Amino acid sequence: MLYELILLDLHSKYILVNHIVNDLVLIGNAKKIRKPKPWKHPQPITKSELEQMRDEFWDTAPHYGGQKEIWDALRAAAAEPDLSQAQVIVDCAGVIIQNTDLTICYDERGAKYELPKYVLSEPTNMIRDN
């Protein structure tokens, strides 16, 4: 019984120390959001087609895992033209940025969130609607 209590206490301390170390690493590795690099769609698309693709992505993304709150924060950050405001959104939501263009992010539980370029910026070959 005493042996089990000692093991439980050691395990609890290990988890606490591991959590603190992970938090410090994340703080030290915090990345700032940057504007995505220019990209080209396989064929020219209109603004309305791009919006339709984006809507379809955001409607289905939560079904692939992760937390709805994180998906909502990523959607708000992706739609935000001011990068400093987008940074505040992801920071407040606890999003961990792997790629500074937001194409790959994680939540605090380790779930991965992959965002396609088309939800983050417009292609260089977009056809302007009349």
Side-chain angles (χ1 to χ4, degrees):
M1 179 74 173
L2 180 60
Y3 178 74
E4 291 172 347
L5 288 174
I6 292 170
L7 282 179
L8 182 59
D9 185 50
L10 288 174
H11 182 70
S12 296
K13 287 178 182 172
Y14 170 78
I15 290 173
L16 177 61
V17 169
N18 193 31
H19 183 67
I20 291 169
V21 168
N22 285 340
D23 284 352
L24 290 174
V25 168
L26 292 176
I27 290 168
N29 290 333
K31 294 183 180 180
K32 297 291 181 194
I33 297 173
R34 296 180 192 239
K35 190 175 184 176
K37 291 180 182 177
W39 62 280
K40 197 173 194 175
H41 195 271
Q43 66 267 0
I45 59 172
T46 64
K47 178 78 171 168
S48 57
E49 290 170 325
L50 179 64
E51 290 301 323
Q52 182 180 0
M53 289 170 57
R54 288 176 174 174
D55 288 343
E56 288 173 7
F57 172 79
W58 291 119
D59 288 345
T60 60
H63 300 290
Y64 295 102
Q67 301 176 66
K68 183 181 181 330
E69 296 79 14
I70 300 296
W71 284 114
D72 291 345
L74 289 170
R75 184 175 191 169
E80 179 57 58
D82 181 351
L83 292 181
S84 62
Q85 291 297 318
Q87 186 76 51
V88 169
I89 293 167
V90 296
D91 289 347
C92 288
V95 174
I96 301 157
I97 302 168
Q98 179 174 329
N99 293 352
T100 57
D101 64 0
L102 292 180
T103 52
I104 300 178
C105 301
Y106 293 88
D107 65 21
E108 293 171 334
R109 296 179 181 174
K112 186 176 185 179
Y113 300 80
E114 293 186 61
L115 304 182
K117 290 180 183 181
Y118 64 82
V119 301
L120 300 166
S121 64
E122 296 178 348
T124 56
N125 61 338
M126 191 166 73
I127 300 168
R128 302 288 171 199
D129 292 329
N130 291 334

